[in-house]
Structure formats: structure tokens, C-alpha cells
Amino acid sequence: MRKSICLIFALLISLNAQIAVKGEVIHTMAGEQITNGVILIRDGKIAAIGTTKEVIIPKECQVLSAKVVTPGLIDARSVVGLGGMLNQSQDQDQLERSAPMQPELRAIDAYNSLDPLVKWIRQLGVTTVNTGHAPGMLMSGQTMVVKTHGTVVDKAVMKTTQMIAVTLGDSGLMPKGSPGTRGKAVAMLRGEFVRIQNQINAREQAQAASKEDEKNVAKSTQPRNIRDEILERVLNREVPLLVYAHRHYDILSALRLAKEFNIEIVLDGASEAYLLVNEIKEAGVSVIVHPSMSRTFGEKQNMSMENASILQKAGIRIAMQSGYESYVPKTRVVLFEAAIAAAYGLGFDNALKAITIDAAKILGIDARVGSLEVGKDADIALYDGDPFEYTSHCTAVIIDGKIVSSESH
Amino acid sequence: MNKWIMFVIFAYMTTGFAQESAPHAFVGARIIPVVGKPIEKGVIVIHKGKISAIGVADAVELPNDAVVHDATGQVILPGFVDTHSHIGGAGAGDSSKPLHPGTSVFDSFNVLDAGIQKAQAGGVTVANVMPGSGHLMSGQTIYIKMRDGRIINDLVIKNAEGKFMGGMKMANGTNSIRQAPFPGTRGKSAALVRALYIKAQEYRQKILDAKGDKTKMPPRDLGMEALVEVLEGKRIVHHHTHRHDDVMTVLRLQKEFGFRVVLHHVSEAWKIAKEIAAAKAPCSIIIIDSPGGKLEARDLDWKNGIALEKAGAVVGFHTDDPITDSRLFLRSAAFAVRAGMSEEAAIYGLTMAGAIMLDLQDRLGSLEVGKDADLVILSGSPLSVYTKIQETWVDGKKVFDRADAQDHLWAVGGYGAGEDRPVEYCCYGKGQ
């Protein structure tokens, strides 16, 4: 009886499906994996998911099959679209050096959706990126979350303002000018937030006064200032700071700043985070771990391929990133970075989480992406073997229900 | 009681000494000798720095005094040859001019650099350490063994005549195009190189004409001396080149002056694989996670390996460390396989092909009796991301052991992994 109800239900939901994805193994990232499963896609969303016995594929459906199926991968920190493939002055928009703090710079205004690197990562299964302004200035600008398809960024974008990129440590210091030291860098950030707090206080006092005296209404309206607006959103915990910090003492500065102003931060890179497991956990901060294959120079010289594993085991939420590269390769691929982390203690399941559902949670987009569940965006990656194996291929990629790659890569 | 302790100490000492000079036998592993077919459950015996026996278990008799290592379930490969590395923080030519044949990496190599330890962790046993590519000719390279040496002489490989081995680094394309006195165009680049080689030909002719008469010899010139070695094929040119037309320029100059060349990076080799194979120019390719990063590498493709393999060229890999990490050198071969190269050719590319490119094919690159005892012991299938390099042996000595805490630090990273290798010195015990 129950079986037949299921069958009827399956038939009903399968009626209008446009694409069916069959997988010998489907890693749903929501509960157990499905062996011999099928996903039905309708109008860009997942309409049904289950075993081939539970979900019936309608005849008119286009069917894709693969050994392994995962949610579309999420790169939690990248600069693709801003840092172009050619590395020439005309395609490098990831870092504005005219002033140390420019949180008003939006990623959406600088993103080239057709840069070859966007296609490159898409073909390897990456369907969503948190991309934008690079580390390298104290407050270099905003990041956004965008799907890796389409021409018009306004259609592909999921969140126009995701985070504000902040750089602590050597990378954020200026050879000439300010900040020239770590102390100055933190003082500048604190000064900026205090300035905004003062403005808010003054406005609130003015508003309170205007209630008493209606003639004072004009006093309470200040002219718009896009920089102050975004910083106020940071203080309101609407927009987190994405703090690039590698040395242990720079990470501590970030945690201190978060506590002082009660702002939300996410650590970016955090090479020496393994030294501060308790502090990071206590602060409830997530870490977007440096690329496993990042170069071990300067403030990254103590980087560990086991960093992701150590943090994850301690109960800290992590995601992986491709990061920012100034030279060759111009972008890393988050799948391969997670693969190394998987092999160095993180394990398959947690490594896949770090580039799907956990990345989605850190970015606050898990209601739409990061797992394969009914109602979620149909962002799906297909592989002919273990996705982390060097010699496997990504055979197809689907974003919002559209097949955006069908060649083996 | 005292006697007993003495006995234990004595026994320990004698076994310790014995192990130093005793043969080592690795038993039970899948051995991939590169030359010849893989041996399942094989045995390899090394003694006095050389391979003394190799074969299936029944065919190899273990020496009585052999230290036997159970390698069941593991895979043994020849040590990897990295044909293009920048470990040791070394350089050669400076920014004063574009051509520096007289300079050498030999004079600027830090033997304590953690890069050497990391290379060992990646199974690299031999590397061609090069100066950078910002010059048409940035200087002489050195071929080193990854020994834990104290001074550079301990590392550099000597040829049959006892001379230190190395090549000559050259580059074309955009890296060496800079402000004057550097060339501003490709045409000028080639003209400067041709003029230098013509000068070297004339210098060599003067030496030949002197017929051993010291009074008739040209005055010594360090750059010219090195270039004479290049012209006589004793010093191989290692040529950085990316674009298809730049590669053809290298081959054109090679034909004109007759030097021996290995093409490095060769991003667009797949566009002219037939021409490269016909010129018999070995290719040392690089595998990068994405194309670009510079104009010339926009068409860099993982299919380079299979394209060159199909065309019949000798194909090897390099790390270009720090461009890619020596600890992950196997990854390069794996990605070539991802794009279609055969696994056999890819492993050949990590080992024998590299040996050929450094004129060392008679001494290393494969597991054969009489060759150097340079081994890599893996936990499993060579091309799997999950496989770990367990041990690396150079000249019959274990230089990397993942089970060792310090080696483990270099292998995975962590606090202090970037520091120079600690050395023991007088007076206060261990220090750095």
C-alpha cells in the first residue's frame, strides 16, 4: 500500500521533469549517500531525488549518467572574474591600490563572467563562488556570491555583497605609507568602526531629539555615503568581514577586533590556525582554509596540509578556497585543494562537505545550494570516479537546471 | 649486570655499524623498474649505494647480512628526476645584462634550504637546479642529488671525469623582454643570442687552432668557456619557452649552432608536437592547475603529455618549484594521465625521461642492477591522491621517512617547516 503511494507520487513529480541525472553513487550531502540514484530536475530546481526504484524517469527526459554525482561545488573564496586569466593590466581588477580602506568597492561592478578562468572552474564542477576583491590592502573591497554560468552577472549573482575583504599581517601593509605596521593596521580598522559608531550614536540622538522637536527633523537626515553605509552593515552584523590572516598573532588580532565591535568575521587563509584551535572555536568563527597547495613563503611558511583536518576535528566549521594567485596558476581549483586536504587527514566526506554544504553554510546560501534536496537549485556535478582522484574526470555540470558542461575534463 | 649492559651496547653498536654498510633488501612490494615490466611481490637489494639485485621473490637470493625491509603492499619506483627546480634559493645572472653564461647556481645554493627536505618528501632524488627565466641566458645550472649534505660539493653530481655536472639555462619569449640592455622584442632576443654563440664559435676555434700551445690560447673567459662546453655538447641547454613560435625559434638556433637542448615548460608543445619530435628535442613539461597567469601560458594544456607521447618525443615533467610543490611532483604525472597520457609514459616521464635530459640515463632513472640506489617507496598506486610517499632513498641511504617526526613536518608542513634544516654544531648541542 505504502509502496504504491510512493510510486504514484514519484510518477506525479516526474511528469514535467526536463533532465534526469543518474548516479551509481549520489553524494547528497543531506543524509546518507544514495546508491543507484536518480535526480529529477524541473524548472531549474531539484524536483525529486531517490533510488532508481523510488523515482521513475519520465520518457521525455534527457538522461545524464555518471559513476559519482555531487552537488555543484562551492568555492568559498576566490577572485575569478576579477583576476583574469591573462594577468595583464586590463584584466586585473581584484585589487585597487589607491587607498588602504575601500569597503565600498563592489565585486559585481568588476566581474567578467566570460573570463576563461570562470569557464575553467565550471568545467571541473565548481558552480558557485564567493569571489571579489583580493587580499593585499587593509580593506580591499567586497566579495559577492555568484553562479559560474551565464553572461549577465546580475542574473547569476546570488548575493551582491557577501563579505568585506580585510587583510591583516604582511600582505596588508604598504611599503610606503599607512598602514606600515601591524599596530597601525588594526588601529586604522578600529578608528574606522569607532567613527561609524559615533555617527550612529549622533544620528540616534538627533532622531530622539527630533521626536521631541519636529522642527529638528532635517538634522537627523545625513547625506548618503556608500562607504559608511557598508561599514554600518558590518557593525549591524549583516555583512561579515572576511579577514585574511596567516600568522597566529594576526589571527588573534582578527578575533580581538570581532569581539570589540561585536562583528561577524570569517577567517581567510589562516595558515597558523592550527595553533589557535581553542581560541577560534571559542569565538565561534568559521575558517576558509588556505589552498592546500598554496606556496609556503613568508607569512605562509608554516602552512600545513593538515590544517583543514585539525580545525575540522576540533569542531570548527571550515570550507576550502582557491584563494588569490598573482601568477601561475592564476586560479587554483577548489576541488583539487580539497582533494589534498582529504588525503591529509580530512577524509573524503568532510573534504566534500568543505566544498559543498559547509561552504554554503558559511556563506549563508545553504537554503538554495550545497546539497541535493528537493526544492534546492539544480546545481550538480558528475564524475567518472572519485572526484578527488587526479585521474578522474568531471563529465558534466548542471547549473540552475541547465547543462553548462558536457565534455570530460 | 654490568657485563650484560656492555654486551647490549656492543651489540647495538656493531649492528648499527653493520647496518651502515650492510645490503638492504626490500621484499614484497610491487616494483616498477620503469625499464622492464612491473614486478609483483618483487625484491630489490641495494648495497654500497647501488642496486645489486632486482627480481621476483624466488629469483633473488638475499645476502646473509642483508637488512630486510618488509614492503608488502607498497610500491617501489626509481627516484624522481625533477628537470627544473628552483630549490635552494639559488640564482645566477643579475639584472645588469641579458646574457650571463659565466655565472652559476653553484655559487648561490643554500644546502640547508628546507626545499631539499620537501623535495625528498616528494620522492625527488635528483634535480636540475636552475636560475630564473628573466634573462636570455641566466647562467649555469647544477644537477644535484638530494643528499643531506653540509656543503654544495656534497650534493652536485660528478661526471666520469670527476667534474661537477650542470646545464645552461636559457629563455625566450616575454620573461626575458625587459628594459634595455635587455631585448625589447623577440627578434632582438634571437639576434643577441646568435651574436653570443658566434662569438663562442670563434673562441672555440681559437682554442682548436692553438693545438695545445698555451701561448696561442685566447685569454680565459668564464662565459666563453662554458659556451664552448655547450657547443661541444658537454653542457645541455635547458631552454624556457612557451609559445609555439618561440619553441620553433629555439629549434632554429639549435640547428644553426648545434647545441643540445631540452625544451622546458613548452606550454604550446601540443600545437607543434610533430616538429618537436622530428627535432628530437626532449620536452620537460609543467602541469599547472589552470592556464594563464601570463600571456604565453594562455594555451597551456594538460594534453601536452599525450600530444608529445603520440608524436614520439621524449616527455618528462618538472616542478619548477616553487611554481609547483616538489612534495606533489607525482601529481604532474597524474594530471598528464587524466588528459590521456599512458600511465607507463607518465612514470617514465618522472624518472627515465628526466635522467635522459640530464645525461644521467646510464646511472639512474630506472631500477636496474648497477644503477644508483635511488628509490621511492609508496603506500599504494602511484597516481592516486591518497597515496603517500613513505620513504625516499638516495645512493642507498634513507633520506626521508614519513614515520620520522621531523621528516613528517617537512612532508605535510606546520610550524617551523619553512626553516632551514637544523644542523648540529659545537658547544651547545643541537641548534639551527
Side-chain angles (χ1 to χ4, degrees):
Chain A
M1 177 63 184
R2 192 161 163 262
K3 211 176 180 182
S4 58
I5 290 171
C6 271
L7 199 66
I8 291 162
F9 181 63
L11 278 168
L12 284 174
I13 54 170
S14 69
L15 280 179
N16 298 317
Q18 293 117 358
I19 299 173
V21 177
K22 285 171 74 177
E24 288 177 26
V25 177
I26 299 178
H27 296 282
T28 63
M29 310 317 286
E32 294 292 300
Q33 66 181 52
I34 300 169
T35 307
N36 292 324
V38 62
I39 305 163
L40 297 184
I41 299 169
R42 186 175 56 211
D43 299 334
K45 302 282 179 188
I46 295 171
I49 179 166
T51 64
T52 43
K53 286 176 186 165
E54 292 163 354
V55 178
I56 291 165
I57 301 171
K59 274 182 190 167
E60 71 277 14
C61 243
Q62 182 179 358
V63 180
L64 302 182
S65 299
K67 269 195 173 158
V68 179
V69 175
T70 71
L73 309 180
I74 300 171
D75 183 347
R77 185 10 165 179
S78 170
V79 297
V80 289
L82 285 83
M85 178 183 81
L86 298 179
N87 207 7
Q88 301 298 302
S89 55
Q90 79 276 4
D91 74 345
Q92 297 303 292
D93 280 295
Q94 70 278 12
L95 200 58
E96 166 68 44
R97 295 184 186 274
S98 56
M101 289 191 283
Q102 305 195 65
E104 65 274 26
L105 307 186
R106 295 189 303 189
I108 196 170
D109 302 319
Y111 179 82
N112 175 8
S113 57
L114 298 180
D115 186 87
L117 293 181
V118 177
K119 184 181 178 191
W120 182 262
I121 61 168
R122 179 174 69 226
Q123 290 170 338
L124 291 162
V126 180
T127 54
T128 304
V129 282
N130 176 29
T131 187
H133 290 89
M137 299 298 284
L138 184 56
M139 203 183 262
S140 64
Q142 302 174 14
T143 69
M144 67 172 173
V145 175
V146 66
K147 298 271 183 92
T148 56
H149 70 138
T151 304
V152 180
V153 62
D154 307 75
K155 287 181 186 167
V157 72
M158 291 179 75
K159 276 171 111 176
T160 306
T161 298
Q162 177 65 33
M163 293 173 177
I164 308 295
V166 166
T167 307
L168 294 179
D170 302 331
S171 317
L173 304 180
M174 315 273 271
K176 292 172 186 172
S178 282
T181 62
R182 287 176 158 81
K184 178 72 176 178
V186 175
M188 285 169 75
L189 291 172
R190 294 180 64 219
E192 195 63 358
F193 286 119
V194 167
R195 183 177 68 79
I196 301 299
Q197 281 180 335
N198 288 343
Q199 275 185 20
I200 296 169
N201 291 340
R203 189 178 62 216
E204 283 171 358
Q205 280 167 17
Q207 279 168 350
S210 69
K211 278 182 186 168
E212 292 168 18
D213 179 3
E214 284 184 7
K215 289 174 192 167
N216 278 338
V217 168
K219 270 189 188 172
S220 67
T221 51
Q222 293 164 337
R224 284 192 62 190
N225 178 319
I226 53 173
R227 171 169 165 170
D228 292 359
E229 280 174 5
I230 189 71
L231 291 175
E232 194 170 330
R233 289 179 66 195
V234 173
L235 283 174
N236 290 340
R237 296 183 69 90
E238 293 164 22
V239 177
L241 296 184
L242 178 60
V243 186
Y244 183 83
H246 284 289
R247 295 287 193 192
H248 56 95
Y249 46 109
D250 293 323
I251 295 171
L252 284 176
S253 295
L255 299 181
R256 210 177 295 122
L257 199 70
K259 198 173 175 186
E260 180 179 356
F261 294 98
N262 188 30
I263 53 183
E264 192 188 339
I265 66 164
V266 174
L267 288 168
D268 174 3
S271 292
E272 295 178 8
Y274 55 80
L275 293 176
L276 297 168
V277 162
N278 293 337
E279 288 74 11
I280 294 169
K281 196 182 175 189
E282 206 176 289
V285 167
S286 301
V287 182
I288 303 175
V289 180
H290 62 76
S292 305
M293 291 181 278
S294 198
R295 292 179 189 118
T296 55
F297 281 167
E299 53 186 354
K300 289 191 286 184
Q301 69 165 3
N302 296 319
M303 218 180 73
S304 168
M305 294 188 210
E306 293 177 341
N307 200 20
S309 161
I310 293 166
L311 298 175
Q312 193 276 334
K313 285 189 173 75
I316 295 165
R317 181 169 285 158
I318 60 152
M320 296 298 296
Q321 60 168 307
S322 59
Y324 164 60
E325 290 294 341
S326 60
Y327 191 50
V328 177
K330 201 66 183 80
T331 189
R332 297 186 180 277
V333 180
V334 78
L335 170 65
F336 303 145
E337 303 302 327
I340 302 282
Y344 284 81
L346 193 56
F348 180 91
D349 291 339
N350 287 322
L352 193 55
K353 271 188 192 172
I355 52 173
T356 56
I357 189 64
D358 282 0
K361 284 176 182 167
I362 290 174
L363 301 174
I365 51 173
D366 51 309
R368 276 183 62 187
V369 296
S371 61
L372 300 172
E373 296 175 83
V374 172
K376 278 198 168 183
D377 293 2
D379 295 356
I380 303 169
L382 289 74
Y383 298 88
D384 60 2
D386 177 344
F388 291 139
E389 281 290 13
Y390 300 140
T391 48
S392 295
H393 304 88
C394 180
T395 53
V397 182
I398 296 168
I399 299 180
D400 291 333
K402 291 192 182 74
I403 299 167
V404 292
S405 172
S406 53
E407 280 176 22
S408 206
H409 289 277
Chain B
M1 182 64 181
N2 272 348
K3 259 186 187 173
W4 187 79
I5 291 170
M6 285 297 287
F7 172 76
V8 170
I9 291 169
F10 179 73
Y12 175 76
M13 283 173 71
T14 46
T15 48
F17 288 131
Q19 287 198 354
E20 193 74 5
S21 58
H24 287 267
F26 302 87
V27 180
R30 175 168 205 258
I31 301 174
I32 302 177
V34 175
V35 169
K37 283 187 175 160
I39 306 163
E40 304 302 334
K41 292 180 183 164
V43 175
I44 182 164
V45 184
I46 59 175
H47 192 209
K48 292 179 179 168
K50 302 284 176 189
I51 297 166
S52 56
I54 181 169
V56 292
D58 300 342
V60 178
E61 200 174 318
L62 299 186
N64 287 332
D65 57 341
V67 180
V68 179
H69 304 258
D70 181 8
T72 307
Q74 298 182 321
V75 176
I76 298 180
L77 291 173
F80 305 150
V81 180
D82 182 357
T83 43
H84 186 141
S85 175
H86 299 290
I87 57 172
D94 64 8
S95 58
S96 62
K97 55 185 180 179
L99 296 150
H100 296 268
T103 63
S104 174
V105 162
F106 199 98
D107 300 312
S108 67
F109 187 89
N110 174 14
V111 293
L112 300 179
D113 179 31
I116 296 164
Q117 266 55 46
K118 291 177 181 176
Q120 292 170 349
V124 176
T125 56
V126 169
N128 173 29
V129 182
M130 308 248 261
S133 54
H135 307 80
L136 296 170
M137 188 179 281
S138 53
Q140 298 163 33
T141 78
I142 52 173
Y143 303 163
I144 63 165
K145 278 268 178 127
M146 296 298 153
R147 303 172 187 130
D148 292 327
R150 289 177 54 250
I151 59 172
I152 181 65
N153 304 47
D154 296 337
L155 273 65
V156 186
I157 298 172
K158 288 178 184 168
N159 66 13
E161 295 145 31
K163 286 184 75 177
F164 290 124
M165 294 180 76
M168 180 67 77
K169 174 73 182 285
M170 290 186 67
N172 66 2
T174 55
N175 277 29
S176 42
I177 290 176
R178 291 150 73 179
Q179 293 288 315
F182 284 76
T185 62
R186 287 177 157 83
K188 177 80 174 186
S189 299
L192 287 172
V193 168
R194 291 184 66 220
L196 182 73
Y197 275 114
I198 287 166
K199 213 175 130 192
Q201 281 178 329
E202 290 165 358
Y203 186 85
R204 179 168 176 266
Q205 194 56 49
K206 281 179 193 167
I207 295 172
L208 294 175
D209 291 346
K211 289 175 182 161
D213 183 347
K214 281 183 182 175
T215 61
K216 289 179 183 167
M217 286 283 278
R220 282 197 67 192
D221 181 311
L222 296 174
M224 286 296 132
E225 285 174 6
L227 286 173
V228 168
E229 292 178 351
V230 169
L231 289 173
E232 293 180 348
K234 294 172 185 164
R235 183 177 289 280
I236 294 172
V237 170
H238 293 282
H239 211 302
H240 159 115
T241 183
H242 285 283
R243 231 167 65 178
H244 63 96
D245 50 330
D246 289 330
V247 177
M248 292 313 297
T249 299
V250 175
L251 297 179
R252 197 177 309 118
L253 296 182
Q254 181 210 11
K255 206 171 173 189
E256 181 177 359
F257 296 102
F259 52 75
R260 294 167 68 202
V261 70
V262 174
L263 302 171
H264 286 256
H265 311 322
V266 228
S267 296
E268 296 187 3
W270 56 274
K271 296 182 182 176
I272 44 162
K274 274 184 192 167
E275 286 74 11
I276 290 170
K280 294 188 170 26
C283 285
S284 171
I285 63 172
I286 188 163
I287 301 280
I288 298 288
D289 282 22
S290 62
K294 53 197 280 181
L295 271 178
E296 293 173 326
R298 65 185 292 169
D299 289 345
L300 187 147
D301 202 296
W302 297 337
K303 70 187 171 201
N304 242 351
I306 176 64
L308 288 163
E309 183 190 354
K310 266 191 185 167
V314 174
V315 196
F317 302 97
H318 63 256
T319 63
D320 202 2
D321 194 323
I323 296 296
T324 70
D325 195 321
S326 294
R327 294 175 294 182
L328 300 166
F329 191 28
L330 265 167
R331 214 177 156 261
S332 299
F335 270 81
V337 171
R338 185 188 190 110
M341 199 178 193
S342 68
E343 187 168 336
E344 197 184 357
I347 289 177
Y348 186 90
L350 289 172
T351 55
M352 198 61 190
I356 290 168
M357 292 177 200
L358 307 184
D359 265 347
L360 292 167
Q361 66 273 27
D362 295 334
R363 288 167 59 178
L364 43 92
S366 60
L367 300 176
E368 295 174 90
V369 172
K371 278 197 165 181
D372 290 0
D374 295 354
L375 313 175
V376 187
I377 304 175
L378 304 164
S379 62
S381 166
L383 303 185
S384 169
V385 68
Y386 302 108
T387 293
K388 297 281 172 21
I389 290 166
Q390 307 286 35
E391 294 178 16
T392 304
W393 291 64
V394 173
D395 294 330
K397 281 186 189 147
K398 186 161 66 179
V399 295
F400 169 75
D401 186 345
R402 189 169 289 268
D404 176 86
Q406 181 66 51
D407 281 352
H408 186 265
L409 175 66
W410 280 311
V412 307
Y415 208 79
E419 302 292 336
D420 277 4
R421 171 166 56 94
V423 290
E424 284 181 36
Y425 58 98
C426 137
C427 315
Y428 294 101
K430 275 195 173 184
Q432 289 189 11

